[in-house]
Amino acid sequence: MFKQLSARWVIPVVAFGLFFGLALASCSEGGTAGMDVSEVARERHLSEQDVLAAVKTYQPTGRFDPYVLFASGGHSGQVLVIGVPSMRLLKVIAVFTPEPWQGYGVGAVETQDVLDEGRMADHDLTWGDTHHPALSESEGDYDGQYLFINDKANPRIAVIDLRDFETKQIVTDPNMGTNHGGTFVTPNTEYVIEAAQYSIPLWEEYADVDRYEESYRGLVTFWKFDRASGRIDHDASFSMELPPYWHDLSDAGKGPSFGWAFVNSFNTEMATGGFEDGNPPFEAGASANDMDYMHIINWQKAARVAGEAGKTRMSRGMRVIPLAVSIEEGLLYLTPEPKSPHGVDVTPDGTRMVVSGKLDPHATIYSWEKIRSAIDSGGSGETDSYGIPILPFDDVLEAQVELGLGPLHTQFDDKGNAYTSIFLESKVAKWRLDPPELLEKIDVHYNVGHLAMAEGDTRTPDGKYLIAMDKWSIDRFQPVGPLLPQNFQLIDVDESPMQLLYDMPIGIGEPHYAQMIKADKLEPFQVYPGVGYSPHLMALKEGAPVSGTERIERVGNTVHVYMTAMRSHFKPEYIRVNQGDEVVLHVTNIEQAHDATHGLGISKYNVNVSIEPGETQEIRFTADQAGVFPFYCTEFCSALHLEMAGYLLVKPAG
Ligand code: CUK
Ligand code: CUA
């Protein structure tokens, strides 16, 4: 019996079970007539490690997780909110993609306005490829106020307010083809960094790839964040022209390196592909060199320069610092980095930058002090073909530590250790920074991309929990067809060796990065503060319907409906309009009870809004189809929820 347990586990499990059994027996009034832990473990074929992992992750009902993970939702264009260590999915925040439950982009005007801000190339964009969420920071510490996330596919940045976990703004970067090195914030969220990936022509609308080196350009944008308004200030933001390398991840300096940003690049070969014409494909052409360039950018000085007359040029409505100005003003330096680098991660104390080359088995550690003195001493005179000074590799290198095949991204703990994902080996390497030494590796399943450590990008990481964001999950979960979920694996890094605790399938897209914050730093609203509150304004909205002001007003062909919702009725319940009328529905949930949310869905008109307690929303549509259309509350709010309904009556024209 109990074949899964080797002999060395039997005694500990029995002891554990006994302990638990006794503990339960002694604290439970009704007795423990059921099975004890060891019996359950045996029946479910669980090892002692399994039981320990379960105990380390289980959250009893009503008890909250100590950490919250904000993960990119990948192609879904959304953000996932997950409790750690339970790995329970708490919410999917609608960002770049319409989302009906939250009433995002399906009828509510203000949410549609946010999505419309994100239109590019005269297209409605109904998806995004989210990669890197960034929590707002104060003095290098997550402050729990805002979250930013990039859309790689369409170069955009979104701003989410963590008072209500809703997307407030989308800004587009008209000079980029795609982005990737975003979002990363400076230590007081002065700026949100966004670096382009695949270069496109900058100063002209169109140029064929045969003019790549002259006309195509890389770009980094520093989006100015205005904390008071909770919005990015477009006019106070600026971009910097970069060579047409393909830029990759970024990170902001802190502590001694405060004021600087670090942006990786690959394809410094400036390969232009064209496999079909007998050229090397991008994968070969863009990885021919042994070294690419890390870009070292003085953003503090660049922000000053961008404010000086004549130092920027407008391109597609954005201020851009031309390359020549950056070179002349000493805003931009390069240093070699091996080979086809991906992640650049600044250590918590800001003294070092860790880079991993996808085709190099090392973590390469740069010393900020050495970078600083190489810059101060005027460099070696060497430049790239665009005239950007190159700091010699040996002058700025602190150390290299061999980790394994395909190192990608690095996180740090509170004990001076670093953790690097090793993509080709499907492992996470734990290594020490001082002196650099590989300590141990743990298997992950499989093809790990980013890692997220508790409070990982702050000046004071917590350690303890690490999440490996795995791209493949073959043999981990119940088969669900050829498209498999991704796999988040929770790892306890305080144990030595590190222990895998939990597998969480992500069936909504390919998340790339995530950040994990202490839950008690978040102070979301329980209920909107006041009746008639607009999440867009983050204030009471003038003229929002409240109890007693419900009415229908016609102004020409526009019919304004001032409606309230409470358990369990809408007021009014009939909306009578003529075919062709414009309908403007103002609806307020006049309740203040926690969680008393109502929805408003209108049959066949593609409308659903979520109206949380106190919230007001506006819906606009043309009543172009005659007929009778029920509307109803789409949240099961009360015993008489099904009765919370009404009719839109559209009288045929003529
Ligand atoms: S990336 Cu996907 S694993 Cu967009 Cu940060 Cu590295
Ligand atoms: Cu209100 Cu259901």
Side-chain angles (χ1 to χ4, degrees), residues 597-599 633-638 641 644:
T597 293
H598 301 286
C633 173
T634 51
E635 286 273 336
F636 205 112
C637 54
S638 65
H641 149 81
M644 190 166 175

Side-chain angles (χ1 to χ4, degrees), residues 71-82 89 91-95 97-100 102 127-130 480 483-488 504-512:
S72 105
H75 319 67
S76 75
Q78 317 292 40
V79 165
L80 312 178
V81 187
I82 295 164
L89 177 64
K91 198 169 205 176
V92 178
I93 304 174
V95 185
T97 306
E99 201 285 332
Q102 291 154 77
W127 77 294
D129 184 10
T130 59
V480 289
L483 179 62
L484 274 62
Q486 321 283 317
N487 189 8
F488 281 6
M504 179 191 190
I506 303 292
I508 190 172
E510 183 201 338
H512 289 255

